[in-house]
Amino acid sequence: MAEEEDTKIRILQSLRGKICEGKNLGPCSGPNRQRDLCTFCTISLDQEEVFRTKVFDKSLSPFYGEDFYFEIPRPFQCLSFYVFAKGVFQRDLPVGKVSIRKEELCKFSGKEHWFGLQPVDPNSEVQGKVHLEMRLNELIIENGSMCQQLLVRIIECQGLPLISGQNCDPYATVSLVGPARSDQKKTKVKKKTSDPQFEETFNFEVTRPNSYTKKSNFQVEEEDIEKLEIKVDLWNNGNLAQDVFLGETRVSVKILRNDHIHRAWYLLQPKGNGKSKTDDLGSLRLNVTYTEDNVLPSACYTPLRTLLLKSPDIKPISASAAHILGDICRERYEAVLPVVRLLLHHSRLVPFVSAITVLELENTQEANTIFRGNSLATRCIDDMMKIVGRSYLTVTLKPVLDEICDSNKTCEIDPIKLKEGDNVEVNKENLQGYVQKVFSSITQSSSSCPPLMCDVFRSLRHMASKRFPDDPHVQYSAVSSFVFLRFFAVAVLSPHTFQLRPHHPDLEVSRTLTLISKTIQTLGSWGSLSKNKLSSFKESYMYDFFKSFQEDKCIEKVKKFLDEISSNVSKESSGVEDSVVLKEGEIQKRAQGRKRIGKRNFKKRWLRVTNRELSYHKHRGKEALCIIPVKNIRAVEKLYESAFNRKNMFQVLHSEKPLYVQAGNCVEASEWVEVLSQVSRCNPDRLGTFHPSAYVAGAWLCCRSLSDSQPGCKPCTPTLLANLQLDIDCDRETERIFSLLTSSYSKLQKMEDACASIAVYQGPPREQDDYSLFTIQDPKETFHTVQQITHILEELQREHDTRSGTAQYGSQENPIVGKTS
């Protein structure tokens, strides 16, 4: 088992982006055109919905502005974005969709594109794959003549869609189709499963014996085998309702021309290739970035990881591997994050940030422009605050932001934007009340500021004072430029981006948050307060509004807050950890202790996990029906689908009866298991084995053991010892750095050439267009590091080439894209 883990490659997929806006949604003409269309968008992996925006009221060109990010826990064929019209007294109606096949996602990665909506046709909504075997036999019949017979074995299917949220009742039809014939046969119906095991074989007569004398059922006696094909259709048995098409695949019989046996997996396809003419349904602007990391065993990354972790000690810092990566990928937003996460995990971030900050300050000429640019130092600190400060934002801002978004008081103070009937004085009072609450929450939150953020702020304060000794305010502006301008003000402006709100706020609330963010930004800007500069506001109405906050006590509160979060005394933990909500949401919970399997045993509940306890409630905000202390959780594992004939189920094993939970989709299920596993990973009485199915009717369904106290029949999933709040997978981060360096290899070579040229000529060359992009303080040291990086990249590429052979076409991992009509 250990040897297998040593050679195993983890394929980790993730998706991030934004559903930006729609344009001219719905049919352009005819009776279906709706002027007051209330729409929302969903994201589906194949046919499984994994994300949903809020409903946007009465607009044919809505601005959704919804960011999304999730890990993709399973293989998929197609990523789809659906637009639905919200029904009042009837079900939601599909307006159209954008479908992108997995292999085409790279074309659109990281940039915004307008996509035309396609119709949502039931015959095109397919997913899953089918395992087939075909065999051509020659038979000698009683009179001694020869004939050919085709045996088609339909073995199984995997990944069929849910129907109305439940597993389907699938069956298959198998047809031999040719110019002059169509024989069809049908499997038995398999109940309540998305992965049916059929194991049925059908015989088809291909050619007739020479002595065949009966009247032919077909128009020809002999038929060219190369014109024949096997067509497999999957259906959901509707009982009294109409059967639902699930997908099809077609395989030409000529595939048996060289080999009399063919066995392979095929992806199911839409009927008729899913193409149909339609009216213009509008378009959707999307930003989609799909990432696939092929993570090697940890030992493979040791040289690159070691080189990166040495970065804070390299002098000058510009010659370090981490700085070189930031230099050659400076236009790539995602390049800094994996370095920050890796250094953070190994407690090397503060010295690295200190070193690159000194380098930036050397190039800063005036104190009032300190940390204003988008440099490597500011990007590192920005990413650090987003990672480390997530729970800090939740504790500090979420309660007041919830109040602002839910109460929805009008706060518009721009005379041009006031609506009829608005009272500007009332609006100003509303806005002032909100700003005071946000300002107070921030300035009273120093005790909740994470120690690592305090360490960075203390370092910034010291270095800024050293660089500009004659400016008494720079020690404060160096810290406020990050904590107010780049942290709190940004979180107020876009709370959904920081998981403080589930969705992008509507236009009116968004405007209120913009006004609050502007005010907070200026209140926290030490330069504006200390020098009494109201000139930062271009708008006269903001100038007038802000004057009400120009009081000495505001300045003193900000100064006191900045002193507390950047003091010379290292902030130690009090030992009493605040309760932080790690995840919550609606689930289906099976009643504990029930002996039979039934739909009535499942109830909707609100599940909530903090760093201290797991609880479920009848509804959100209600008292807990059950509380399970985190210290009592012994294992968290996924359940076999066959346990309750339901997908996306997991179990929480604790000191009492197991808690069985069904999540809304595969992404949610993986997130619940990950969070609960991490929060309980250090519990001393964690289990080593578990039962992947349920104990029903006096026996375990997995191993058939009769004792309910029988130890598990399957090893528990090993849990990586990661920091729960940081959620860092170091091997994955190092693989991302490898991918970034590899994709920027040409720039790495240019940097190497620049170092060689500067070293030879003892100064910058005349033609410096390419070289001026790089920071080269010591060409020999930088050259040495670049050569080390190049050597490591070559070794890692060899490891990838050796270990990651492409799965055989037609295998379960690499199914064939079936022929479509």
Side-chain angles (χ1 to χ4, degrees):
M1 183 73 182
E3 289 182 7
E4 183 182 334
E5 289 298 320
D6 286 343
T7 59
K8 191 175 180 183
I9 289 182
R10 292 183 293 144
I11 300 176
L12 304 175
Q13 309 170 96
S14 63
L15 192 74
R16 73 167 64 248
K18 177 178 281 192
I19 301 175
C20 304
E21 61 179 317
K23 184 165 63 178
N24 300 327
L25 300 181
C28 287
S29 59
N32 294 326
R33 182 64 161 170
Q34 301 179 48
R35 293 186 178 180
D36 296 333
L37 202 63
C38 297
T39 61
F40 62 92
C41 293
T42 66
I43 301 177
S44 291
L45 295 173
D46 299 322
Q47 295 307 300
E48 184 177 15
E49 182 185 316
V50 294
F51 180 85
R52 177 177 290 217
T53 71
K54 69 175 184 178
V55 178
F56 199 98
D57 287 343
K58 298 181 180 179
S59 174
L60 298 178
S61 297
F63 180 81
Y64 297 107
E66 293 271 13
D67 296 286
F68 57 85
Y69 173 80
F70 50 85
E71 298 288 325
I72 301 176
R74 62 167 178 80
F76 72 102
Q77 301 174 41
C78 198
L79 175 71
S80 297
F81 298 81
Y82 291 83
V83 178
F84 285 91
K86 183 67 179 174
V88 181
F89 301 110
Q90 56 183 354
R91 65 185 181 87
D92 302 328
L93 297 175
V95 175
K97 69 175 181 179
V98 173
S99 287
I100 310 172
R101 295 196 67 83
K102 178 182 175 180
E103 56 271 20
E104 295 178 342
L105 281 169
C106 59
K107 296 180 187 176
F108 311 105
S109 187
K111 295 181 181 178
E112 289 185 1
H113 295 269
W114 281 99
F115 296 87
L117 293 179
Q118 300 298 315
V120 179
D121 174 9
N123 287 332
S124 71
E125 306 298 291
V126 303
Q127 71 175 65
K129 54 192 174 186
V130 58
H131 197 192
L132 300 176
E133 182 180 274
M134 294 167 55
R135 184 191 303 261
L136 202 58
N137 286 347
E138 289 187 345
L139 299 180
I140 302 175
I141 60 174
E142 292 179 1
N143 62 6
S145 60
M146 302 279 293
C147 74
Q148 284 190 310
Q149 189 181 50
L150 178 65
L151 278 67
V152 180
R153 177 176 164 223
I154 179 164
I155 303 168
E156 63 179 311
C157 287
Q158 285 188 356
L160 297 180
L162 300 178
I163 303 295
S164 301
Q166 300 296 321
N167 284 333
C168 53
D169 296 333
Y171 70 89
T173 59
V174 183
S175 308
L176 178 65
V177 181
R181 65 168 73 183
S182 181
D183 290 351
Q184 186 179 90
K185 301 185 180 183
K186 178 181 171 182
T187 68
K188 295 176 182 176
V189 175
K190 299 296 179 179
K191 293 286 187 181
K192 301 299 178 191
T193 178
S194 297
D195 302 318
Q197 301 283 329
F198 289 110
E199 287 293 352
E200 294 192 44
T201 303
F202 302 103
N203 300 326
F204 295 94
E205 186 182 77
V206 178
T207 61
R208 307 185 184 290
N210 296 332
S211 60
Y212 192 85
T213 56
K214 294 182 181 180
K215 186 177 178 181
S216 174
N217 291 327
F218 308 107
Q219 296 174 12
V220 291
E221 292 295 321
E222 296 289 336
E223 190 166 33
D224 187 350
I225 288 179
E226 295 204 0
K227 295 179 182 177
L228 298 175
E229 64 181 14
I230 286 294
K231 178 170 172 279
V232 179
D233 291 271
L234 270 294
W235 298 86
N236 177 60
N237 181 39
N239 293 320
L240 300 177
Q242 186 175 358
D243 291 356
V244 177
F245 175 76
L246 301 178
E248 70 172 35
T249 193
R250 294 167 179 257
V251 186
S252 176
V253 177
K254 70 181 179 183
I255 204 167
L256 297 170
R257 184 169 45 198
N258 300 321
D259 190 350
H260 280 204
I261 300 177
H262 171 72
R263 182 170 175 164
W265 285 87
Y266 285 85
L267 290 175
L268 293 173
Q269 300 294 309
K271 185 178 287 186
N273 210 18
K275 293 179 179 177
S276 60
K277 292 183 179 179
T278 180
D279 193 4
D280 182 11
L281 299 174
S283 53
L284 204 57
R285 182 162 62 92
L286 304 170
N287 187 325
V288 181
T289 298
Y290 167 73
T291 304
E292 183 174 293
D293 296 317
N294 292 278
V295 183
L296 300 169
S298 187
C300 298
Y301 296 112
T302 301
L304 181 56
R305 186 166 50 237
T306 302
L307 186 63
L308 289 160
L309 294 177
K310 282 169 54 181
S311 293
D313 305 323
I314 300 297
K315 290 183 174 55
I317 192 64
S318 60
S320 68
H323 192 284
I324 287 171
L325 173 67
D327 225 10
I328 65 174
C329 299
R330 64 177 63 188
E331 74 282 1
R332 305 241 345 230
Y333 168 78
E334 76 276 17
V336 170
L337 184 58
V339 173
V340 170
R341 293 168 74 87
L342 187 68
L343 294 174
L344 199 53
H345 182 84
H346 290 278
S347 302
R348 301 288 285 154
L349 184 64
V350 175
F352 178 70
V353 166
S354 297
I356 59 177
T357 300
V358 169
L359 179 59
E360 176 167 342
L361 287 172
E362 287 174 0
N363 297 317
T364 303
Q365 303 305 317
E366 296 182 17
N368 61 357
T369 63
I370 194 168
F371 303 130
R372 290 293 175 91
N374 190 25
S375 65
L376 179 60
T378 57
R379 287 161 67 195
C380 282
I381 297 171
D382 282 351
D383 282 338
M384 177 276 295
M385 292 190 297
K386 288 175 185 174
I387 298 167
V388 175
R390 191 183 305 172
S391 60
Y392 179 35
L393 283 177
T394 302
V395 170
T396 307
L397 290 183
K398 193 174 189 320
V400 65
L401 288 176
D402 284 342
E403 180 188 342
I404 293 167
C405 295
D406 294 338
S407 61
N408 201 12
K409 293 179 182 176
T410 304
C411 296
E412 185 55 73
I413 57 174
D414 182 354
I416 299 174
K417 294 185 179 180
L418 288 173
K419 297 177 183 177
E420 188 176 347
D422 281 352
N423 186 320
V424 69
E425 292 304 320
V426 172
N427 292 359
K428 190 180 291 187
E429 191 176 319
N430 292 339
L431 181 60
Q432 191 168 9
Y434 284 154
V435 170
Q436 288 285 12
K437 286 184 178 181
V438 172
F439 181 70
S440 296
S441 294
I442 293 171
T443 53
Q444 294 172 14
S445 69
S446 60
S447 62
S448 301
C449 187
L452 192 130
M453 285 176 64
C454 294
D455 290 342
V456 170
F457 295 152
R458 185 170 63 253
S459 178
L460 291 175
R461 181 174 179 169
H462 170 72
M463 290 182 291
S465 297
K466 188 175 180 181
R467 174 69 178 87
F468 298 102
D470 297 331
D471 190 325
H473 303 301
V474 74
Q475 59 174 318
Y476 295 111
S477 60
V479 178
S480 68
S481 63
F482 284 102
V483 74
F484 276 98
L485 274 67
R486 294 173 177 265
F487 188 58
F488 284 121
V490 178
V492 169
L493 188 63
S494 305
H496 60 292
T497 306
F498 294 83
Q499 290 82 51
L500 299 175
R501 294 288 295 175
H503 298 293
H504 186 280
D506 61 38
L507 290 175
E508 190 167 338
V509 173
S510 184
R511 173 64 178 162
T512 298
L513 295 177
T514 300
L515 294 171
I516 296 171
S517 179
K518 276 186 175 186
T519 312
I520 290 296
Q521 197 169 311
T522 309
L523 276 172
S525 172
W526 183 257
S528 295
L529 287 170
S530 61
K531 298 176 184 178
N532 203 23
K533 287 184 179 177
L534 289 168
S535 58
S536 57
F537 289 118
K538 296 177 182 177
E539 310 95 336
S540 59
Y541 62 88
M542 285 300 298
Y543 179 94
D544 293 335
F545 174 70
F546 189 75
K547 282 196 295 189
S548 62
F549 294 95
Q550 281 298 294
E551 302 171 359
D552 289 342
K553 62 180 182 180
C554 274
I555 299 174
E556 286 305 311
K557 283 182 179 179
V558 171
K559 182 176 180 292
K560 181 174 181 291
F561 171 68
L562 295 175
D563 279 335
E564 288 170 347
I565 63 172
S566 60
S567 62
N568 291 323
V569 181
S570 181
K571 183 172 177 250
E572 298 293 337
S573 172
S574 64
V576 181
E577 192 177 7
D578 289 333
S579 179
V580 177
V581 178
L582 301 173
K583 184 171 176 59
E584 58 182 336
E586 190 173 79
I587 50 90
Q588 294 269 352
K589 185 195 74 72
R590 187 176 190 265
Q592 294 181 326
R594 294 289 176 89
K595 295 183 178 180
R596 293 185 178 182
I597 296 176
K599 188 175 179 180
R600 293 181 180 178
N601 290 341
F602 284 85
K603 302 286 186 185
K604 280 186 180 180
R605 292 290 182 259
W606 188 262
L607 195 64
R608 189 171 186 262
V609 59
T610 72
N611 51 332
R612 294 177 180 174
E613 62 189 29
L614 170 68
S615 59
Y616 59 83
H617 315 245
K618 192 166 186 178
H619 301 290
R620 183 178 189 175
K622 298 291 184 181
E623 289 187 13
L625 299 174
C626 174
I627 296 175
I628 301 170
V630 161
K631 63 183 181 182
N632 292 351
I633 296 176
R634 306 183 69 192
V636 185
E637 297 287 346
K638 291 187 178 180
L639 275 169
Y640 286 165
E641 180 186 319
S642 57
F644 298 103
N645 288 326
R646 288 173 176 243
K647 292 174 81 76
N648 305 320
M649 286 206 65
F650 64 93
Q651 57 183 323
V652 181
L653 304 172
H654 56 110
S655 50
E656 299 179 17
K657 292 185 180 295
L659 176 66
Y660 294 123
V661 177
Q662 183 184 26
N665 55 61
C666 62
V667 170
E668 282 283 314
S670 290
E671 288 176 352
W672 280 115
V673 171
E674 176 70 17
V675 167
L676 286 165
S677 296
Q678 286 291 349
V679 78
S680 62
R681 72 189 185 282
C682 295
N683 288 352
D685 55 350
R686 281 186 66 87
L687 296 174
T689 59
F690 76 104
H691 290 285
S693 199
Y695 185 78
V696 178
W700 289 102
L701 297 179
C702 41
C703 58
R704 310 310 302 175
S705 173
L706 300 180
S707 171
D708 63 349
S709 59
Q710 178 73 20
C713 56
K714 186 177 178 182
C716 286
T717 307
T719 305
L720 294 172
L721 289 176
N723 184 309
L724 178 65
Q725 298 293 333
L726 304 184
D727 187 25
I728 294 171
D729 180 341
C730 287
D731 293 339
R732 185 179 193 177
E733 303 304 335
T734 314
E735 169 61 27
R736 285 181 178 167
I737 293 168
F738 162 71
S739 298
L740 287 161
L741 289 168
T742 302
S743 64
S744 302
Y745 193 73
S746 61
K747 289 188 177 180
L748 199 62
Q749 288 181 312
K750 285 182 180 179
M751 179 177 267
E752 186 174 343
D753 293 342
C755 291
S757 178
I758 294 170
V760 169
Y761 293 106
Q762 298 298 314
R766 293 179 182 177
E767 300 295 331
Q768 204 185 0
D769 290 347
D770 290 337
Y771 305 160
S772 61
L773 297 173
F774 309 126
T775 305
I776 302 174
Q777 295 173 291
D778 184 332
K780 290 183 180 179
E781 189 68 32
T782 307
F783 183 82
H784 176 63
T785 306
V786 170
Q787 284 197 315
Q788 286 182 288
I789 293 172
T790 302
H791 175 70
I792 289 170
L793 293 184
E794 290 170 355
E795 290 294 320
L796 267 174
Q797 190 58 57
R798 276 194 283 271
E799 289 285 356
H800 273 285
D801 294 341
T802 302
R803 296 169 183 267
S804 58
T806 304
Q808 183 180 352
Y809 192 46
S811 65
Q812 187 172 355
E813 296 78 20
N814 188 18
I816 297 169
V817 179
K819 176 184 174 184
T820 55
S821 58

